Amino acid sequence: MRFPALAFLLSCAFAMTASSTAFAQPKGFNYDEEKVKPYTLPDPLVTQDGKKVTSPEMWKTVRRPELLRLFEEHVFGKPLPKVEGIRFEPGKVNENALGGKAVRKEVTVRFSPTADEPSMSILIYAPKGKKSPAFLGLNFNGNHAVTDDPEITLNPNWMRAGDKDGTVVDNKATEKSRGKESRRWPVEQVIDRGYAVATIYYGDIDPDFDDGFKNGIHALFPQKERTGDDPGSIAAWAWGLSRALDYLETDPLIDAKHVAVLGHSRLGKTSLWAGATDERFALVISNNSGCGGAALSRRDFGETVARINTSFPHWFCVNYRKYNDNEAACPVDQHELIALIAPRPVYVASAAEDLWADPRGEFLGAVEAEPVYKLLGTDGFAGLKSHDTPAVDQPVNGGTIGYHRRAGGHDVILYDWERFMDFADRHFGKKD
Ligand code: GTR
């Protein structure tokens, strides 16, 4: 295991605590808007050989596939090999969860036709007796940490040690960790708005440490050293989200044509990549996804490509390291990741104090994707009056691209969820 102590500490500070701003802005990086050097972005509507993309058809058949390949080759790595014989195995069900409002169920997705491992467990809460649209996202601490319901299976897999509060001991979750992440998963409020929630512990798919890709889903594809455009962890997590959607398509309580994929932080980078690679996701939400997510890499503000590849060498493909301190050489930038989601609705959420993730860079990532949304006939970032970053707690979410900058730090809280649900209501048709 090669996992630098500093990276480990940082990952804990970001993922486990609410908004520990002391830790959240590492020293030695630029947080001054005045010091952002001029940069030129690649044009999502110009092909690699310099042709202007002039029609939706040309976007669909030429430029979109080209951009997707560029992101595979230079950023996230190519798709995981196809896995045959994936099985869905029903687990515990409570037909009267949340005081009788919802069905709660667990489903195990077994990735091999013959063995029980690797596998991932999906936890679902769905309004009773009808097909509902759903929010699907990965969680950081295990499904049992999403609510304090004692019946949810305690995740047995490797967990980051995180806070020294007894919730994880010897890298295993303890009973004490039940409900630990519930503030980030307002399940009951989501059910009350007519949506289902489905979530998976991201470490089921690939444990979040640099182990040379031996565990999680990678165990199925033994390989020598990971090189070039071999997929990294983000690609694996995104792949897992697609397998969860395969399951949701079979679930009678889920309207799988209306599944919003969402994620916070590294899992926000993941939801964007899942949305880009799998067009079945009807809506895509990035919460505080920062560097390698919605934030423009060429903007020298907050976390850099060099830093993320050093702290987390397993997240992106090895080729991405070519752009350490050399962002301008990368053939793509993150607005083009958002553009790959077009014409489907996309929502980018920032937090005002989360400078490490570069709120303005996240906003501009969405702004710069708009020409593609417009070419494809949508209203794009409708209602946006200027390219100044929207004021704190003043969402601009009336169009196909939505954005808000919430007060506070790096986190996902009820305020964010409420805006996501408003946005989904508009795009999916209001639910009761
Ligand atoms: C940080 C990392 C960020 C973000 C965050 C998280 O340490 O630098 O890019 O992904 O972790 O996922 O919590």
Side-chain angles (χ1 to χ4, degrees):
M1 192 204 301
R2 288 183 289 129
F3 198 64
L6 177 63
F8 177 73
L9 272 175
L10 278 169
S11 84
C12 299
F14 275 88
M16 319 291 271
T17 60
S19 55
S20 84
T21 36
F23 237 109
Q25 263 68 255
K27 290 208 172 54
F29 295 86
N30 179 39
Y31 303 106
D32 182 348
E33 199 52 50
E34 310 269 283
K35 293 200 179 126
V36 174
K37 295 183 216 72
Y39 57 90
T40 309
L41 292 175
D43 187 336
L45 292 178
V46 174
T47 64
Q48 287 308 96
D49 57 5
K51 288 198 194 75
K52 182 90 194 119
V53 180
T54 49
S55 65
E57 194 50 29
M58 193 173 167
W59 167 261
K60 239 187 275 153
T61 58
V62 180
R63 182 58 171 158
R64 189 178 188 282
E66 176 178 76
L67 274 175
L68 202 54
R69 269 199 315 276
L70 290 169
F71 272 99
E72 287 171 5
E73 190 181 330
H74 298 273
V75 184
F76 297 107
K78 59 183 184 289
L80 277 82
K82 201 162 168 41
V83 181
E84 304 290 350
I86 294 182
R87 292 166 289 146
F88 306 133
E89 202 175 278
K92 292 183 207 164
V93 180
N94 177 354
E95 298 283 350
N96 285 301
L98 302 175
K101 282 192 258 196
V103 175
R104 188 212 70 222
K105 58 175 124 176
E106 296 179 352
V107 176
T108 302
V109 180
R110 300 212 182 275
F111 294 131
S112 150
T114 48
D116 277 359
E117 297 303 329
S119 68
M120 69 178 185
S121 171
I122 316 177
L123 171 68
I124 299 166
Y125 281 89
K128 273 163 86 164
K130 57 179 174 193
K131 266 193 185 303
S132 301
F135 288 89
L136 167 68
L138 302 176
N139 66 69
F140 284 103
N141 297 292
N143 295 345
H144 64 273
V146 163
T147 75
D148 53 16
D149 183 339
E151 284 177 32
I152 297 172
T153 306
L154 192 74
N155 191 292
N157 289 332
W158 183 94
M159 302 255 159
R160 285 173 303 143
D163 321 321
K164 297 265 166 284
D165 57 1
T167 56
V168 176
V169 173
D170 296 334
N171 294 108
K172 297 275 178 207
T174 69
E175 283 292 328
K176 232 181 146 183
S177 61
R178 291 194 178 279
K180 174 178 171 171
E181 210 176 318
S182 57
R183 202 175 38 87
R184 287 182 172 177
W185 292 92
V187 173
E188 192 157 356
Q189 285 93 332
V190 180
I191 294 288
D192 286 345
R193 297 230 354 209
Y195 293 94
V197 182
T199 186
I200 302 136
Y201 170 54
Y202 77 138
D204 283 2
I205 306 161
D206 187 20
D208 191 1
F209 62 89
D210 186 19
D211 68 328
F213 289 82
K214 304 262 180 300
N215 52 21
I217 184 64
H218 298 285
L220 282 185
F221 324 111
Q223 58 176 357
K224 8 101 231 161
E225 188 136 8
R226 196 171 69 100
T227 54
D229 62 356
D230 289 338
S233 294
I234 293 176
W237 297 327
W239 177 89
L241 285 165
S242 287
R243 302 296 68 80
L245 184 53
D246 294 345
Y247 167 74
L248 293 177
E249 285 181 332
T250 70
D251 191 312
L253 291 179
I254 305 294
D255 168 6
K257 296 253 174 295
H258 292 110
V259 173
V261 62
L262 89 168
H264 168 62
S265 206
R266 67 199 69 184
L267 301 180
K269 308 179 207 301
T270 304
S271 62
L272 287 171
W273 187 232
T277 49
D278 191 336
E279 294 183 271
R280 293 174 302 163
F281 288 114
L283 190 153
V284 181
I285 300 165
S286 143
N287 192 79
N288 304 180
S289 62
C291 180
L296 296 175
S297 300
R298 280 166 173 76
R299 240 180 76 85
D300 169 27
F301 192 105
E303 187 169 26
T304 61
V305 170
R307 170 53 179 259
I308 207 164
N309 278 330
T310 309
S311 303
F312 305 103
H314 55 299
W315 285 2
F316 298 89
C317 72
V318 171
N319 282 343
Y320 197 43
R321 299 177 195 165
K322 290 187 203 156
Y323 310 109
N324 289 354
D325 301 316
N326 191 23
E327 283 86 350
C330 187
V332 290
D333 209 317
Q334 301 307 107
H335 59 308
E336 293 169 310
L337 174 60
I338 298 173
L340 283 171
I341 294 158
R344 292 162 293 151
V346 66
Y347 197 106
V348 174
S350 302
E353 289 169 23
D354 184 20
L355 300 185
W356 184 237
D358 186 12
R360 178 155 178 75
E362 293 174 323
F363 166 66
L364 291 175
V367 167
E368 298 290 346
E370 191 185 31
V372 177
Y373 275 84
K374 286 274 175 70
L375 179 77
L376 298 183
T378 78
D379 58 359
F381 221 143
L384 189 69
K385 305 234 158 44
S386 84
H387 287 185
D388 294 344
T389 314
V392 170
D393 294 346
Q394 306 271 307
V396 181
N397 56 7
T400 311
I401 304 176
Y403 177 84
H404 73 244
R405 184 162 61 109
R406 166 180 55 69
H410 189 71
D411 204 355
V412 54
I413 60 173
L414 186 57
Y415 176 92
D416 302 304
W417 274 94
E418 283 173 339
R419 302 295 78 74
F420 302 154
M421 291 190 281
D422 294 346
F423 191 68
D425 281 356
R426 205 164 309 121
H427 290 285
F428 291 170
K430 180 95 185 97
K431 305 290 153 195
D432 45 311

